[in-house]
Amino acid sequence: MPSSSLAPKRWWAKAALSGAVAGAIYGPIEAGLVALVSQTSFWALPHRIAGLLLGSNILSLPISPGTVLIGIAVHMALAVAFGLAIVVPVKRAGPGMSFVVGSAVGVAIYLVSYHVVAPILFPWMLLAQGVHTLLMHVAFALITVADYERRPPR
């Protein structure tokens, strides 16, 4: 079977990888911006993200390498999932519309994450809510789309 016939079935691997690339770029920048805006440690955001998996009790503990690593792992898992969520409508977009559609999905991810889910389940994440995080979600989406489009079919 020619490799080109596999490309439509394996778009998700390319999309997941593009989300991971965007997450690896986005994560440190977002942690730095949140630290700057909230005047906290660079490691405070990954520590808070670890709370998504470990629960809010972790927030009363000092920041540790273990919680930071768990936070990074959760962040990267979300980046892969969001990469897939971004690429699905981008694949359906017409020529020249991929960055517009990707940006819209980035805004939607921000709104759902920080204005629907966080207030109900993860109120400690509201500290990262704001224009800087909205713009970073759009940047994440644009990086995902750019990386996805530059990769050859798998």
mmCIF file of all heavy atoms in Angstrom, residues 53-107:
data_model
loop_
_atom_site.group_PDB
_atom_site.id
_atom_site.type_symbol
_atom_site.label_atom_id
_atom_site.label_comp_id
_atom_site.label_asym_id
_atom_site.label_seq_id
_atom_site.Cartn_x
_atom_site.Cartn_y
_atom_site.Cartn_z
ATOM 1 N N LEU A 53 -4.247 17.439 38.226
ATOM 2 C CA LEU A 53 -4.200 15.985 38.373
ATOM 3 C C LEU A 53 -4.183 15.564 39.845
ATOM 4 O O LEU A 53 -4.857 14.612 40.232
ATOM 5 C CB LEU A 53 -2.956 15.436 37.666
ATOM 6 C CG LEU A 53 -2.754 13.931 37.677
ATOM 7 C CD1 LEU A 53 -3.868 13.242 36.889
ATOM 8 C CD2 LEU A 53 -1.405 13.573 37.087
ATOM 9 N N LEU A 54 -3.439 16.279 40.662
ATOM 10 C CA LEU A 54 -3.223 15.878 42.052
ATOM 11 C C LEU A 54 -4.224 16.475 43.039
ATOM 12 O O LEU A 54 -4.265 16.067 44.193
ATOM 13 C CB LEU A 54 -1.801 16.252 42.478
ATOM 14 C CG LEU A 54 -0.674 15.645 41.649
ATOM 15 C CD1 LEU A 54 0.671 16.193 42.103
ATOM 16 C CD2 LEU A 54 -0.702 14.127 41.733
ATOM 17 N N GLY A 55 -4.984 17.456 42.613
ATOM 18 C CA GLY A 55 -5.953 18.099 43.490
ATOM 19 C C GLY A 55 -5.401 19.372 44.104
ATOM 20 O O GLY A 55 -4.192 19.615 44.123
ATOM 21 N N SER A 56 -6.296 20.167 44.642
ATOM 22 C CA SER A 56 -5.917 21.482 45.163
ATOM 23 C C SER A 56 -5.055 21.406 46.418
ATOM 24 O O SER A 56 -4.385 22.380 46.760
ATOM 25 C CB SER A 56 -7.163 22.319 45.439
ATOM 26 O OG SER A 56 -7.963 21.693 46.427
ATOM 27 N N ASN A 57 -5.040 20.273 47.112
ATOM 28 C CA ASN A 57 -4.209 20.150 48.315
ATOM 29 C C ASN A 57 -2.732 20.355 48.011
ATOM 30 O O ASN A 57 -1.974 20.792 48.874
ATOM 31 C CB ASN A 57 -4.416 18.791 48.986
ATOM 32 C CG ASN A 57 -5.797 18.668 49.584
ATOM 33 O OD1 ASN A 57 -6.465 19.667 49.829
ATOM 34 N ND2 ASN A 57 -6.232 17.443 49.800
ATOM 35 N N ILE A 58 -2.322 20.050 46.798
ATOM 36 C CA ILE A 58 -0.914 20.190 46.408
ATOM 37 C C ILE A 58 -0.478 21.657 46.480
ATOM 38 O O ILE A 58 0.692 21.958 46.698
ATOM 39 C CB ILE A 58 -0.677 19.600 44.990
ATOM 40 C CG1 ILE A 58 0.803 19.350 44.749
ATOM 41 C CG2 ILE A 58 -1.213 20.498 43.905
ATOM 42 C CD1 ILE A 58 1.335 18.173 45.464
ATOM 43 N N LEU A 59 -1.411 22.559 46.341
ATOM 44 C CA LEU A 59 -1.086 23.979 46.316
ATOM 45 C C LEU A 59 -0.601 24.497 47.668
ATOM 46 O O LEU A 59 0.096 25.496 47.733
ATOM 47 C CB LEU A 59 -2.289 24.786 45.848
ATOM 48 C CG LEU A 59 -2.834 24.385 44.474
ATOM 49 C CD1 LEU A 59 -4.099 25.138 44.169
ATOM 50 C CD2 LEU A 59 -1.795 24.577 43.399
ATOM 51 N N SER A 60 -0.965 23.805 48.738
ATOM 52 C CA SER A 60 -0.513 24.229 50.071
ATOM 53 C C SER A 60 0.903 23.749 50.363
ATOM 54 O O SER A 60 1.502 24.173 51.347
ATOM 55 C CB SER A 60 -1.475 23.724 51.143
ATOM 56 O OG SER A 60 -1.487 22.308 51.158
ATOM 57 N N LEU A 61 1.429 22.878 49.512
ATOM 58 C CA LEU A 61 2.789 22.379 49.681
ATOM 59 C C LEU A 61 3.766 23.268 48.922
ATOM 60 O O LEU A 61 3.399 23.908 47.943
ATOM 61 C CB LEU A 61 2.892 20.939 49.170
ATOM 62 C CG LEU A 61 1.991 19.918 49.862
ATOM 63 C CD1 LEU A 61 2.097 18.578 49.162
ATOM 64 C CD2 LEU A 61 2.337 19.809 51.343
ATOM 65 N N PRO A 62 5.021 23.278 49.363
ATOM 66 C CA PRO A 62 6.015 24.068 48.615
ATOM 67 C C PRO A 62 6.209 23.496 47.206
ATOM 68 O O PRO A 62 6.004 22.309 46.967
ATOM 69 C CB PRO A 62 7.297 23.922 49.429
ATOM 70 C CG PRO A 62 6.960 23.160 50.652
ATOM 71 C CD PRO A 62 5.570 22.630 50.525
ATOM 72 N N ILE A 63 6.623 24.361 46.316
ATOM 73 C CA ILE A 63 6.937 23.927 44.955
ATOM 74 C C ILE A 63 8.107 22.950 45.040
ATOM 75 O O ILE A 63 9.090 23.198 45.722
ATOM 76 C CB ILE A 63 7.296 25.136 44.074
ATOM 77 C CG1 ILE A 63 6.085 26.054 43.940
ATOM 78 C CG2 ILE A 63 7.795 24.684 42.702
ATOM 79 C CD1 ILE A 63 6.380 27.380 43.275
ATOM 80 N N SER A 64 7.968 21.821 44.334
ATOM 81 C CA SER A 64 9.029 20.815 44.349
ATOM 82 C C SER A 64 9.281 20.336 42.927
ATOM 83 O O SER A 64 8.420 20.487 42.048
ATOM 84 C CB SER A 64 8.623 19.620 45.222
ATOM 85 O OG SER A 64 7.578 18.884 44.594
ATOM 86 N N PRO A 65 10.449 19.734 42.692
ATOM 87 C CA PRO A 65 10.716 19.208 41.345
ATOM 88 C C PRO A 65 9.657 18.195 40.898
ATOM 89 O O PRO A 65 9.275 18.175 39.727
ATOM 90 C CB PRO A 65 12.090 18.550 41.482
ATOM 91 C CG PRO A 65 12.738 19.274 42.619
ATOM 92 C CD PRO A 65 11.621 19.613 43.564
ATOM 93 N N GLY A 66 9.149 17.402 41.830
ATOM 94 C CA GLY A 66 8.136 16.395 41.478
ATOM 95 C C GLY A 66 6.852 17.020 40.987
ATOM 96 O O GLY A 66 6.299 16.602 39.964
ATOM 97 N N THR A 67 6.363 18.046 41.701
ATOM 98 C CA THR A 67 5.115 18.674 41.261
ATOM 99 C C THR A 67 5.318 19.445 39.963
ATOM 100 O O THR A 67 4.430 19.469 39.108
ATOM 101 C CB THR A 67 4.515 19.608 42.340
ATOM 102 O OG1 THR A 67 5.446 20.628 42.661
ATOM 103 C CG2 THR A 67 4.111 18.837 43.572
ATOM 104 N N VAL A 68 6.489 20.035 39.807
ATOM 105 C CA VAL A 68 6.773 20.753 38.560
ATOM 106 C C VAL A 68 6.787 19.776 37.385
ATOM 107 O O VAL A 68 6.196 20.041 36.330
ATOM 108 C CB VAL A 68 8.100 21.539 38.661
ATOM 109 C CG1 VAL A 68 8.555 22.028 37.295
ATOM 110 C CG2 VAL A 68 7.944 22.714 39.624
ATOM 111 N N LEU A 69 7.415 18.617 37.550
ATOM 112 C CA LEU A 69 7.446 17.615 36.470
ATOM 113 C C LEU A 69 6.050 17.093 36.147
ATOM 114 O O LEU A 69 5.706 16.909 34.974
ATOM 115 C CB LEU A 69 8.383 16.465 36.837
ATOM 116 C CG LEU A 69 9.871 16.803 36.795
ATOM 117 C CD1 LEU A 69 10.700 15.635 37.317
ATOM 118 C CD2 LEU A 69 10.300 17.176 35.385
ATOM 119 N N ILE A 70 5.240 16.872 37.177
ATOM 120 C CA ILE A 70 3.862 16.439 36.930
ATOM 121 C C ILE A 70 3.102 17.538 36.195
ATOM 122 O O ILE A 70 2.353 17.262 35.248
ATOM 123 C CB ILE A 70 3.168 16.049 38.253
ATOM 124 C CG1 ILE A 70 3.777 14.741 38.776
ATOM 125 C CG2 ILE A 70 1.652 15.900 38.063
ATOM 126 C CD1 ILE A 70 3.393 14.402 40.193
ATOM 127 N N GLY A 71 3.290 18.781 36.602
ATOM 128 C CA GLY A 71 2.642 19.903 35.919
ATOM 129 C C GLY A 71 3.051 20.000 34.463
ATOM 130 O O GLY A 71 2.213 20.246 33.589
ATOM 131 N N ILE A 72 4.325 19.791 34.193
ATOM 132 C CA ILE A 72 4.805 19.823 32.804
ATOM 133 C C ILE A 72 4.178 18.686 32.006
ATOM 134 O O ILE A 72 3.758 18.876 30.857
ATOM 135 C CB ILE A 72 6.345 19.794 32.755
ATOM 136 C CG1 ILE A 72 6.903 21.122 33.302
ATOM 137 C CG2 ILE A 72 6.844 19.534 31.334
ATOM 138 C CD1 ILE A 72 8.408 21.108 33.539
ATOM 139 N N ALA A 73 4.091 17.492 32.612
ATOM 140 C CA ALA A 73 3.481 16.345 31.922
ATOM 141 C C ALA A 73 2.004 16.617 31.616
ATOM 142 O O ALA A 73 1.524 16.326 30.510
ATOM 143 C CB ALA A 73 3.634 15.079 32.764
ATOM 144 N N VAL A 74 1.273 17.186 32.580
ATOM 145 C CA VAL A 74 -0.139 17.525 32.357
ATOM 146 C C VAL A 74 -0.243 18.582 31.254
ATOM 147 O O VAL A 74 -1.084 18.474 30.351
ATOM 148 C CB VAL A 74 -0.808 18.005 33.662
ATOM 149 C CG1 VAL A 74 -2.190 18.589 33.394
ATOM 150 C CG2 VAL A 74 -0.886 16.865 34.676
ATOM 151 N N HIS A 75 0.625 19.593 31.325
ATOM 152 C CA HIS A 75 0.630 20.645 30.306
ATOM 153 C C HIS A 75 0.842 20.048 28.911
ATOM 154 O O HIS A 75 0.131 20.397 27.955
ATOM 155 C CB HIS A 75 1.722 21.670 30.617
ATOM 156 C CG HIS A 75 2.042 22.568 29.473
ATOM 157 N ND1 HIS A 75 1.242 23.634 29.114
ATOM 158 C CD2 HIS A 75 3.054 22.540 28.582
ATOM 159 C CE1 HIS A 75 1.769 24.215 28.044
ATOM 160 N NE2 HIS A 75 2.860 23.581 27.712
ATOM 161 N N MET A 76 1.801 19.136 28.789
ATOM 162 C CA MET A 76 2.092 18.550 27.479
ATOM 163 C C MET A 76 0.953 17.648 26.999
ATOM 164 O O MET A 76 0.656 17.619 25.801
ATOM 165 C CB MET A 76 3.426 17.800 27.519
ATOM 166 C CG MET A 76 4.640 18.719 27.682
ATOM 167 S SD MET A 76 4.721 20.060 26.458
ATOM 168 C CE MET A 76 4.985 19.120 24.956
ATOM 169 N N ALA A 77 0.298 16.939 27.913
ATOM 170 C CA ALA A 77 -0.857 16.121 27.524
ATOM 171 C C ALA A 77 -1.981 17.022 27.004
ATOM 172 O O ALA A 77 -2.628 16.710 25.988
ATOM 173 C CB ALA A 77 -1.336 15.287 28.705
ATOM 174 N N LEU A 78 -2.202 18.146 27.685
ATOM 175 C CA LEU A 78 -3.206 19.103 27.210
ATOM 176 C C LEU A 78 -2.802 19.702 25.866
ATOM 177 O O LEU A 78 -3.651 19.907 24.991
ATOM 178 C CB LEU A 78 -3.422 20.207 28.242
ATOM 179 C CG LEU A 78 -4.150 19.791 29.518
ATOM 180 C CD1 LEU A 78 -4.077 20.897 30.557
ATOM 181 C CD2 LEU A 78 -5.589 19.411 29.221
ATOM 182 N N ALA A 79 -1.517 19.958 25.685
ATOM 183 C CA ALA A 79 -1.031 20.517 24.413
ATOM 184 C C ALA A 79 -1.316 19.562 23.258
ATOM 185 O O ALA A 79 -1.737 19.990 22.171
ATOM 186 C CB ALA A 79 0.459 20.830 24.508
ATOM 187 N N VAL A 80 -1.109 18.281 23.482
ATOM 188 C CA VAL A 80 -1.401 17.284 22.443
ATOM 189 C C VAL A 80 -2.909 17.261 22.152
ATOM 190 O O VAL A 80 -3.325 17.288 20.988
ATOM 191 C CB VAL A 80 -0.885 15.885 22.866
ATOM 192 C CG1 VAL A 80 -1.459 14.788 21.982
ATOM 193 C CG2 VAL A 80 0.635 15.857 22.849
ATOM 194 N N ALA A 81 -3.721 17.241 23.214
ATOM 195 C CA ALA A 81 -5.178 17.225 23.028
ATOM 196 C C ALA A 81 -5.648 18.499 22.314
ATOM 197 O O ALA A 81 -6.470 18.440 21.388
ATOM 198 C CB ALA A 81 -5.877 17.082 24.378
ATOM 199 N N PHE A 82 -5.116 19.655 22.730
ATOM 200 C CA PHE A 82 -5.507 20.909 22.089
ATOM 201 C C PHE A 82 -4.997 20.973 20.656
ATOM 202 O O PHE A 82 -5.646 21.553 19.784
ATOM 203 C CB PHE A 82 -5.020 22.110 22.890
ATOM 204 C CG PHE A 82 -5.692 22.292 24.233
ATOM 205 C CD1 PHE A 82 -5.100 23.051 25.212
ATOM 206 C CD2 PHE A 82 -6.916 21.700 24.511
ATOM 207 C CE1 PHE A 82 -5.713 23.229 26.445
ATOM 208 C CE2 PHE A 82 -7.543 21.864 25.744
ATOM 209 C CZ PHE A 82 -6.944 22.640 26.709
ATOM 210 N N GLY A 83 -3.835 20.389 20.390
ATOM 211 C CA GLY A 83 -3.332 20.316 19.017
ATOM 212 C C GLY A 83 -4.299 19.568 18.118
ATOM 213 O O GLY A 83 -4.601 20.006 17.000
ATOM 214 N N LEU A 84 -4.814 18.460 18.619
ATOM 215 C CA LEU A 84 -5.809 17.698 17.859
ATOM 216 C C LEU A 84 -7.089 18.517 17.667
ATOM 217 O O LEU A 84 -7.654 18.550 16.573
ATOM 218 C CB LEU A 84 -6.121 16.377 18.573
ATOM 219 C CG LEU A 84 -4.988 15.356 18.559
ATOM 220 C CD1 LEU A 84 -5.227 14.275 19.590
ATOM 221 C CD2 LEU A 84 -4.811 14.759 17.175
ATOM 222 N N ALA A 85 -7.522 19.205 18.724
ATOM 223 C CA ALA A 85 -8.738 20.019 18.641
ATOM 224 C C ALA A 85 -8.583 21.163 17.644
ATOM 225 O O ALA A 85 -9.556 21.559 16.995
ATOM 226 C CB ALA A 85 -9.095 20.567 20.028
ATOM 227 N N ILE A 86 -7.387 21.687 17.524
ATOM 228 C CA ILE A 86 -7.134 22.789 16.590
ATOM 229 C C ILE A 86 -7.100 22.281 15.156
ATOM 230 O O ILE A 86 -7.656 22.891 14.243
ATOM 231 C CB ILE A 86 -5.821 23.512 16.959
ATOM 232 C CG1 ILE A 86 -6.022 24.306 18.259
ATOM 233 C CG2 ILE A 86 -5.333 24.413 15.827
ATOM 234 C CD1 ILE A 86 -4.731 24.745 18.925
ATOM 235 N N VAL A 87 -6.461 21.146 14.939
ATOM 236 C CA VAL A 87 -6.255 20.666 13.565
ATOM 237 C C VAL A 87 -7.546 20.146 12.930
ATOM 238 O O VAL A 87 -7.723 20.287 11.723
ATOM 239 C CB VAL A 87 -5.131 19.606 13.532
ATOM 240 C CG1 VAL A 87 -5.080 18.889 12.196
ATOM 241 C CG2 VAL A 87 -3.788 20.281 13.820
ATOM 242 N N VAL A 88 -8.460 19.595 13.714
ATOM 243 C CA VAL A 88 -9.692 19.059 13.119
ATOM 244 C C VAL A 88 -10.413 20.121 12.280
ATOM 245 O O VAL A 88 -10.667 19.895 11.090
ATOM 246 C CB VAL A 88 -10.617 18.442 14.193
ATOM 247 C CG1 VAL A 88 -12.003 18.155 13.628
ATOM 248 C CG2 VAL A 88 -9.997 17.165 14.747
ATOM 249 N N PRO A 89 -10.747 21.300 12.814
ATOM 250 C CA PRO A 89 -11.402 22.290 11.951
ATOM 251 C C PRO A 89 -10.454 22.920 10.926
ATOM 252 O O PRO A 89 -10.899 23.333 9.848
ATOM 253 C CB PRO A 89 -11.936 23.342 12.931
ATOM 254 C CG PRO A 89 -11.140 23.163 14.169
ATOM 255 C CD PRO A 89 -10.718 21.726 14.210
ATOM 256 N N VAL A 90 -9.164 22.980 11.243
ATOM 257 C CA VAL A 90 -8.196 23.547 10.306
ATOM 258 C C VAL A 90 -8.133 22.692 9.045
ATOM 259 O O VAL A 90 -8.042 23.218 7.932
ATOM 260 C CB VAL A 90 -6.803 23.693 10.969
ATOM 261 C CG1 VAL A 90 -5.702 23.870 9.938
ATOM 262 C CG2 VAL A 90 -6.812 24.863 11.942
ATOM 263 N N LYS A 91 -8.205 21.368 9.201
ATOM 264 C CA LYS A 91 -8.182 20.468 8.040
ATOM 265 C C LYS A 91 -9.366 20.732 7.114
ATOM 266 O O LYS A 91 -9.277 20.526 5.919
ATOM 267 C CB LYS A 91 -8.218 19.005 8.484
ATOM 268 C CG LYS A 91 -6.913 18.460 8.985
ATOM 269 C CD LYS A 91 -7.032 17.045 9.519
ATOM 270 C CE LYS A 91 -7.776 16.063 8.680
ATOM 271 N NZ LYS A 91 -7.141 15.517 7.514
ATOM 272 N N ARG A 92 -10.471 21.183 7.673
ATOM 273 C CA ARG A 92 -11.681 21.428 6.885
ATOM 274 C C ARG A 92 -11.738 22.841 6.320
ATOM 275 O O ARG A 92 -12.599 23.143 5.494
ATOM 276 C CB ARG A 92 -12.905 21.152 7.746
ATOM 277 C CG ARG A 92 -12.992 19.693 8.136
ATOM 278 C CD ARG A 92 -14.309 19.365 8.771
ATOM 279 N NE ARG A 92 -14.387 17.917 8.919
ATOM 280 C CZ ARG A 92 -14.678 17.303 10.043
ATOM 281 N NH1 ARG A 92 -14.950 18.002 11.113
ATOM 282 N NH2 ARG A 92 -14.718 15.991 10.095
ATOM 283 N N ALA A 93 -10.868 23.706 6.823
ATOM 284 C CA ALA A 93 -10.868 25.103 6.375
ATOM 285 C C ALA A 93 -10.373 25.190 4.932
ATOM 286 O O ALA A 93 -9.561 24.395 4.488
ATOM 287 C CB ALA A 93 -9.980 25.947 7.283
ATOM 288 N N GLY A 94 -10.869 26.172 4.248
ATOM 289 C CA GLY A 94 -10.430 26.385 2.879
ATOM 290 C C GLY A 94 -9.023 26.947 2.834
ATOM 291 O O GLY A 94 -8.456 27.349 3.858
ATOM 292 N N PRO A 95 -8.438 27.003 1.640
ATOM 293 C CA PRO A 95 -7.086 27.545 1.493
ATOM 294 C C PRO A 95 -6.994 28.969 2.048
ATOM 295 O O PRO A 95 -7.870 29.792 1.834
ATOM 296 C CB PRO A 95 -6.855 27.531 -0.023
ATOM 297 C CG PRO A 95 -7.859 26.582 -0.576
ATOM 298 C CD PRO A 95 -9.022 26.583 0.373
ATOM 299 N N GLY A 96 -5.948 29.218 2.776
ATOM 300 C CA GLY A 96 -5.721 30.537 3.336
ATOM 301 C C GLY A 96 -6.493 30.830 4.612
ATOM 302 O O GLY A 96 -6.343 31.885 5.209
ATOM 303 N N MET A 97 -7.336 29.911 5.051
ATOM 304 C CA MET A 97 -8.155 30.136 6.243
ATOM 305 C C MET A 97 -7.627 29.400 7.475
ATOM 306 O O MET A 97 -8.163 29.576 8.559
ATOM 307 C CB MET A 97 -9.599 29.690 5.978
ATOM 308 C CG MET A 97 -10.338 30.571 4.993
ATOM 309 S SD MET A 97 -10.477 32.290 5.554
ATOM 310 C CE MET A 97 -11.494 32.103 6.991
ATOM 311 N N SER A 98 -6.574 28.605 7.314
ATOM 312 C CA SER A 98 -6.130 27.765 8.428
ATOM 313 C C SER A 98 -5.701 28.571 9.653
ATOM 314 O O SER A 98 -6.016 28.199 10.788
ATOM 315 C CB SER A 98 -5.003 26.825 7.981
ATOM 316 O OG SER A 98 -3.904 27.563 7.496
ATOM 317 N N PHE A 99 -5.034 29.701 9.445
ATOM 318 C CA PHE A 99 -4.577 30.491 10.588
ATOM 319 C C PHE A 99 -5.741 31.233 11.257
ATOM 320 O O PHE A 99 -5.746 31.410 12.470
ATOM 321 C CB PHE A 99 -3.459 31.456 10.176
ATOM 322 C CG PHE A 99 -2.174 30.734 9.891
ATOM 323 C CD1 PHE A 99 -1.777 30.470 8.591
ATOM 324 C CD2 PHE A 99 -1.368 30.295 10.930
ATOM 325 C CE1 PHE A 99 -0.601 29.783 8.331
ATOM 326 C CE2 PHE A 99 -0.193 29.616 10.688
ATOM 327 C CZ PHE A 99 0.198 29.355 9.389
ATOM 328 N N VAL A 100 -6.726 31.630 10.475
ATOM 329 C CA VAL A 100 -7.916 32.284 11.035
ATOM 330 C C VAL A 100 -8.702 31.272 11.876
ATOM 331 O O VAL A 100 -9.082 31.551 13.023
ATOM 332 C CB VAL A 100 -8.803 32.880 9.918
ATOM 333 C CG1 VAL A 100 -10.119 33.403 10.480
ATOM 334 C CG2 VAL A 100 -8.052 33.965 9.171
ATOM 335 N N VAL A 101 -8.924 30.101 11.310
ATOM 336 C CA VAL A 101 -9.665 29.054 12.021
ATOM 337 C C VAL A 101 -8.888 28.611 13.262
ATOM 338 O O VAL A 101 -9.457 28.462 14.346
ATOM 339 C CB VAL A 101 -9.961 27.865 11.079
ATOM 340 C CG1 VAL A 101 -10.531 26.679 11.845
ATOM 341 C CG2 VAL A 101 -10.913 28.304 9.972
ATOM 342 N N GLY A 102 -7.581 28.411 13.111
ATOM 343 C CA GLY A 102 -6.753 28.015 14.256
ATOM 344 C C GLY A 102 -6.807 29.047 15.367
ATOM 345 O O GLY A 102 -6.929 28.696 16.556
ATOM 346 N N SER A 103 -6.740 30.326 15.015
ATOM 347 C CA SER A 103 -6.832 31.399 16.015
ATOM 348 C C SER A 103 -8.168 31.358 16.740
ATOM 349 O O SER A 103 -8.226 31.531 17.966
ATOM 350 C CB SER A 103 -6.646 32.766 15.361
ATOM 351 O OG SER A 103 -5.351 32.889 14.838
ATOM 352 N N ALA A 104 -9.245 31.137 15.984
ATOM 353 C CA ALA A 104 -10.578 31.064 16.596
ATOM 354 C C ALA A 104 -10.662 29.893 17.570
ATOM 355 O O ALA A 104 -11.245 30.022 18.658
ATOM 356 C CB ALA A 104 -11.645 30.948 15.507
ATOM 357 N N VAL A 105 -10.073 28.777 17.208
ATOM 358 C CA VAL A 105 -10.078 27.621 18.115
ATOM 359 C C VAL A 105 -9.234 27.929 19.353
ATOM 360 O O VAL A 105 -9.615 27.570 20.471
ATOM 361 C CB VAL A 105 -9.591 26.340 17.407
ATOM 362 C CG1 VAL A 105 -9.514 25.173 18.386
ATOM 363 C CG2 VAL A 105 -10.505 25.985 16.244
ATOM 364 N N GLY A 106 -8.121 28.624 19.179
ATOM 365 C CA GLY A 106 -7.305 29.026 20.332
ATOM 366 C C GLY A 106 -8.090 29.899 21.296
ATOM 367 O O GLY A 106 -8.017 29.722 22.522
ATOM 368 N N VAL A 107 -8.870 30.844 20.770
ATOM 369 C CA VAL A 107 -9.728 31.696 21.610
ATOM 370 C C VAL A 107 -10.773 30.834 22.319
ATOM 371 O O VAL A 107 -11.022 31.007 23.523
ATOM 372 C CB VAL A 107 -10.400 32.810 20.773
ATOM 373 C CG1 VAL A 107 -11.481 33.521 21.574
ATOM 374 C CG2 VAL A 107 -9.354 33.802 20.265
#
